[in-house]
Amino acid sequence: MTDARSDAERLLRRFASDTNLLIAGRPMRVAGEGPVAEALTGMLAAMGARVDVTDAPAHAERDLTRDTVVFDIDTGAITMGGEPTGGRGDAAGRLDFAAAHMPVSTAIAAELAQQGTVRGLSVGVSMTLEPKTANLALLLAQAGATVAVYAHPDETDTAVAQALRDRGVPVDASAEVTPAQELEAALQFIDRGFDVLVDDGSHITRLSHEHRPHQVSRWIGATEETTSGLAPLRHMQDAGVLATGVIAVNDAITKTGFDNRYGTGQSCVLAIADLLADAGVSVRDQPALVIGYGPVGVGVAAHLRALGVDVSVSEIDPARALLALHDGFRVDTADALAEGALVVSATGWPATVSADLTDAAAAVAVAGGVPGEIAWHGALTPVAPHVERTATGTLIVDRGGCINVTAAEGNPIEIMDLSFATQLAAIAEVVQTRPTVGVHPLSDSAVTHVAATAAHVRGIALEPGATRASAGSTDWRSPRYTVGRPPFPSPDGS
């Protein structure tokens, strides 16, 4: 008997794998009727898609736009803008496809080019190396900067690295290096000498302080992409050892409000579902426990629920635990919830999942993540690509690696478009303000500009500002008590 939910999930996962595009906010059409159509419609809607259900043929061009995705339930075909998905081609083709879906970053980079903000400066980009990051580097180069890129071996797409070199950007990264060679490559990257460092996880920022303080002293400043990267930088600041100004890109709502919730949530959950399916296990074969209910945990829990998984949450922060409860999840300790569950760590902290907790689980994975976030007893036995089994039978997914990067293609393109537009705004702010030593927020004006640019290029109509004129009144007095009140003086005192 056909499992409608499994068939629907396969279609959804195939779209994400074919395109690396975002589901949330995208116009989607389910053409056809029956249980699979109903299941797919429910999943897409729960992930935030704008779903149109029709019994018209999938090839009907009713209101099709360039971004409209159509699922033909009868044939299993998936099209976008009337064209079949899955045709991105080689690494160069994936770079070009990503670039075509990164209009916000492109618009902000064009402003930097026009204003000459980064012209003649040297910018180092230390991030997961895949098509979106490659385009960030290319946009900076087009804006007039001299750019070099570094990535950890586990976070390097070798073909993309070569495609980037072919376009004139030097890359100090390889997927096949020893730990000693990795350190050498990282130091070689630092020794190129930068004016601005763009970091992810603050690994290069910290390594530079440890081994190359003279290079840090020449930086105008740095930017940091992640929560896990900002935490040690703030510890360094408190200890008086941080020697540069850092803009906390992660804390801007145009990054963490979208990247973590929608990007990491979608990409990690669908990567986990793909890998478990290769191991002969459905993501719905067991309940799930999400450890940590920060922005990443919120996204992971929501996307697991959208696929029909029974989800629970454990959290050490009382406010976040209450949020999880009000979002409809059972909340308890990990020890109480892990038995027989798919355990997903979403904390970004080492040693979140102990070996004993792993023994109790059916499967364990990490969303986002840092080294050593999960542990297990003994040797592992391969089961499927990126999936191994412990002696007690628990499936370990990707050895706790950053699953959406090491086993997939990272966050969806449109999400990274918004994150990298925020990075570009932060780079501009570093250059223009030359921040003092310490971790600094990206200014409200810069964040608002990125959001406004995104709304404009994505065709979102905003309420005219004139309707809010009363909010700017200089009369601070309460409007409730007006009897016998004299008029409020005008700004000129009259």
Side-chain angles (χ1 to χ4, degrees):
M1 182 176 181
T2 301
D3 180 347
R5 295 191 72 88
S6 294
D7 289 346
E9 181 194 312
R10 276 192 288 271
L11 285 169
L12 186 155
R13 289 192 283 116
R14 180 152 62 87
F15 162 73
S17 177
D18 283 351
T19 65
N20 193 220
L21 291 174
L22 185 65
I23 292 170
R26 181 172 298 281
M28 291 189 167
R29 183 173 303 168
V30 178
E33 298 179 312
V36 176
E38 292 177 5
L40 180 58
T41 298
M43 289 179 182
L44 292 171
M47 290 187 181
R50 295 184 286 125
V51 190
D52 172 23
V53 184
T54 177
D55 57 6
H59 58 76
E61 296 186 359
R62 179 170 63 88
D63 300 325
L64 277 184
T65 69
R66 171 179 174 269
D67 293 324
T68 300
V69 174
V70 179
F71 295 87
D72 187 332
I73 299 302
D74 293 332
T75 66
I78 307 173
T79 60
M80 186 170 69
E83 298 295 326
T85 60
R88 290 185 288 162
D90 60 8
R94 288 188 287 134
L95 259 67
D96 293 339
F97 182 88
H101 291 84
M102 295 177 67
V104 191
S105 294
T106 300
I108 298 293
E111 294 176 359
L112 267 60
Q114 182 179 22
Q115 297 161 6
T117 306
V118 296
R119 188 176 302 128
L121 297 181
S122 177
V123 180
V125 177
S126 173
M127 288 186 160
T128 298
L129 182 49
E130 37 73 41
K132 288 92 69 182
T133 308
N135 275 298
L136 172 64
L138 291 169
L139 287 170
L140 283 165
Q142 291 162 17
T146 299
V147 186
V149 174
Y150 168 82
H152 185 273
D154 289 346
E155 299 174 350
T156 298
D157 183 320
T158 301
V160 169
Q162 187 56 51
L164 194 53
R165 292 187 187 103
D166 292 343
R167 299 188 187 194
V169 176
V171 178
D172 297 309
S174 171
E176 300 176 359
V177 295
T178 66
Q181 291 169 329
E182 178 192 349
L183 175 60
E184 181 182 351
L187 293 175
Q188 176 180 308
F189 171 74
I190 296 166
D191 285 338
R192 289 182 180 275
F194 302 115
D195 297 301
V196 179
L197 176 68
V198 178
D199 209 353
D200 182 321
S202 70
H203 299 292
I204 293 299
T205 305
R206 287 180 276 168
L207 185 67
S208 298
H209 278 74
E210 184 179 4
H211 289 279
R212 296 292 192 270
H214 66 283
Q215 293 290 358
V216 177
S217 66
R218 63 160 286 176
W219 296 351
I220 299 172
T223 68
E224 173 51 44
E225 175 83 359
T226 65
T227 305
S228 58
L230 286 172
L233 292 178
R234 289 185 167 117
H235 290 320
M236 292 170 67
Q237 179 177 347
D238 292 343
V241 297
L242 185 64
T244 189
V246 180
I247 300 293
V249 170
N250 175 79
D251 293 352
I253 190 172
T254 47
K255 191 279 180 185
T256 197
F258 297 86
D259 186 302
N260 300 14
R261 163 67 171 84
Y262 298 100
T264 306
Q266 173 183 314
S267 59
C268 286
V269 167
L270 296 188
I272 291 168
D274 280 338
L275 297 178
L276 289 179
D278 289 343
V281 178
S282 167
V283 75
R284 289 180 299 280
D285 284 347
Q286 58 283 304
L289 164 62
V290 177
I291 302 180
Y293 206 65
V296 169
V298 169
V300 169
H303 283 82
L304 284 169
R305 174 188 271 172
L307 294 181
V309 181
D310 177 17
V311 184
S312 298
V313 171
S314 71
E315 174 57 75
I316 62 173
D317 183 276
R320 290 177 180 175
L322 286 168
L323 287 172
L325 183 71
H326 285 76
D327 283 340
F329 298 108
R330 179 186 172 192
V331 181
D332 207 330
T333 64
D335 286 340
L337 298 170
E339 185 71 36
L342 163 63
V343 175
V344 182
S345 178
T347 66
W349 288 98
T352 293
V353 180
S354 68
D356 289 343
L357 199 67
T358 294
D359 283 345
V364 178
V366 171
V370 295
E373 196 160 329
I374 68 173
W376 56 86
H377 292 120
L380 299 177
T381 303
V383 175
H386 297 280
V387 181
E388 297 167 286
R389 194 186 306 276
T390 68
T392 56
T394 304
L395 296 177
I396 304 294
V397 184
D398 200 41
R399 295 202 168 202
C402 188
I403 191 79
N404 60 337
V405 170
T406 54
E409 202 175 47
N411 281 350
I413 294 169
E414 300 96 330
I415 286 295
M416 296 313 298
D417 180 29
L418 195 55
S419 290
F420 286 162
T422 309
Q423 276 284 3
L424 290 165
I427 292 167
E429 194 152 292
V430 166
V431 173
Q432 292 163 352
T433 68
R434 298 182 175 256
T436 58
V437 170
V439 178
H440 307 274
L442 182 60
S443 68
D444 290 344
S445 60
V447 174
T448 299
H449 180 61
V450 171
T453 302
H456 173 71
V457 301
R458 295 181 181 181
I460 299 173
L462 301 178
E463 190 69 20
T467 62
R468 301 186 181 90
S470 62
S473 171
T474 58
D475 188 345
W476 48 263
R477 300 173 301 180
S478 169
R480 290 186 174 181
Y481 315 105
T482 60
V483 176
R485 173 184 290 168
F488 194 76
S490 64
D492 62 5
S494 59

